[in-house]
Amino acid sequence: MAKKQFNAKAELNDPVLSKEQTTKIVKQFWQHTQNWNYKILNPIFQGVLA
């Protein structure tokens, strides 16, 4: 803070993903959100934690 470097990286050696790896991860996430467990439990947990 004293150096006013607010945009400095907080985590060094971040992983670098290829376009294919990124696409795979995003597709897995969207498939997960279509699961019945997610559709039922997600609103419940959000209500409890909110």
Side-chain angles (χ1 to χ4, degrees):
M1 289 271 211
K3 293 182 181 181
K4 307 275 187 204
Q5 294 178 349
F6 300 112
N7 293 328
K9 291 184 71 161
E11 184 174 337
L12 303 176
N13 301 322
D14 290 343
V16 178
L17 299 176
S18 69
K19 178 99 171 155
E20 292 81 21
Q21 290 171 319
T22 303
T23 303
K24 181 181 175 185
I25 291 170
V26 171
K27 283 183 181 182
Q28 287 175 344
F29 170 76
W30 286 116
Q31 286 177 346
H32 172 70
T33 61
Q34 299 306 311
N35 188 342
W36 69 271
N37 285 336
Y38 179 87
K39 289 182 178 183
I40 292 173
L41 296 177
N42 188 43
I44 293 171
F45 288 132
Q46 285 185 2
V48 169
L49 297 175

